[in-house]
Amino acid sequence: MKYNQLRISDIVFVSLKGNYNKKKKKPSSEWHFHKDIYLKKKYMNAIVHTHSKSAVTLACMRKKIPSFHYMVAVAGGIDIKCAKYATFGSIKLSTNIIKALKDRKACLIENHGQVAIDNSIDSAFELAQEVEYLSSQYINCLRTGNPKILSKSLMSKVLGKIKNYKKGET
């Protein structure tokens, strides 16, 4: 359904057991991975799944985003992984996304898009925007050669500081 036509009454609510009102519209084909993320990442309250331009480009190249820039750490690790491809709406896709989100708050999805998760919809949306921005920057770096990758040691320091990045304590 087109976003500009979407109304609150069109939203299909799916329980964490996979139940929904079958008399109404069907849920998105991606409801499986949304449900599984909520079940596996109990501390997360929001998911943003998008097919943003630059993230899709990298996902279609089946590339993760390495630590070419320290801000990669906002996704929770030294890189942003790319979940293995599986048909959209499948349980296998959900399994692959959960694996790529291990110790992470965002991932790309091969030949598909990206997912960002966080405590609030605002912060998950902001993270999805950051992943898109990093994707664009990484593509630009690849156009000019091989970007210099920050070491695990340097990224460990960044990860220690990034937890307080938005709080102004870094």
Side-chain angles (χ1 to χ4, degrees):
M1 153 168 252
K2 293 184 180 191
Y3 290 121
N4 65 351
Q5 297 173 348
L6 187 65
R7 304 289 175 255
I8 290 174
S9 61
D10 295 319
I11 296 172
V12 179
F13 293 91
V14 180
S15 77
L16 292 179
K17 292 183 179 182
N19 299 322
Y20 61 94
N21 186 343
K22 300 202 181 353
K23 293 178 184 174
K24 293 191 173 192
K25 294 179 167 79
K26 287 184 175 182
S28 161
S29 61
E30 306 297 12
W31 71 268
H32 289 286
F33 78 70
H34 285 255
K35 174 187 70 79
D36 291 345
I37 289 170
Y38 284 125
L39 289 172
K40 301 284 185 193
K41 304 276 192 173
K42 295 186 186 298
Y43 54 92
M44 295 295 161
N45 297 314
I47 300 166
V48 173
H49 167 58
T50 182
H51 303 147
S52 56
K53 183 179 176 181
S54 296
V56 166
T57 300
L58 289 177
C60 288
M61 297 303 293
R62 297 186 174 189
K63 288 189 174 289
K64 69 178 183 178
I65 303 174
S67 56
F68 78 103
H69 191 284
Y70 75 92
M71 284 299 285
V72 165
V74 298
I78 64 168
D79 58 15
I80 298 173
K81 297 189 180 307
C82 190
K84 296 265 183 229
Y85 177 80
T87 305
F88 71 92
S90 68
I91 301 296
K92 182 65 177 162
L93 178 61
S94 181
T95 301
N96 295 348
I97 290 169
I98 295 298
K99 184 176 178 182
L101 285 174
K102 184 176 192 285
D103 301 323
R104 304 287 190 280
K105 297 192 306 183
C107 72
L108 303 177
I109 309 164
E110 285 184 354
N111 301 88
H112 191 129
Q114 67 148 304
V115 173
I117 61 177
D118 214 330
N119 294 323
S120 71
I121 192 67
D122 289 340
S123 56
F125 184 77
E126 189 175 325
L127 179 57
Q129 287 179 308
E130 188 66 38
V131 171
E132 175 61 13
Y133 187 60
L134 287 162
S135 297
S136 177
Q137 290 174 325
Y138 185 51
I139 289 167
N140 285 331
C141 287
L142 291 171
R143 286 182 182 137
T144 60
N146 292 321
K148 304 302 180 217
I149 305 302
L150 295 171
S151 69
K152 287 183 181 182
S153 172
L154 290 173
M155 284 302 287
S156 290
K157 290 178 185 176
V158 171
L159 285 165
K161 292 185 76 163
I162 206 83
K163 293 173 186 164
N164 297 316
Y165 184 75
K166 297 288 180 183
K167 299 173 187 170
E169 299 172 19
T170 56

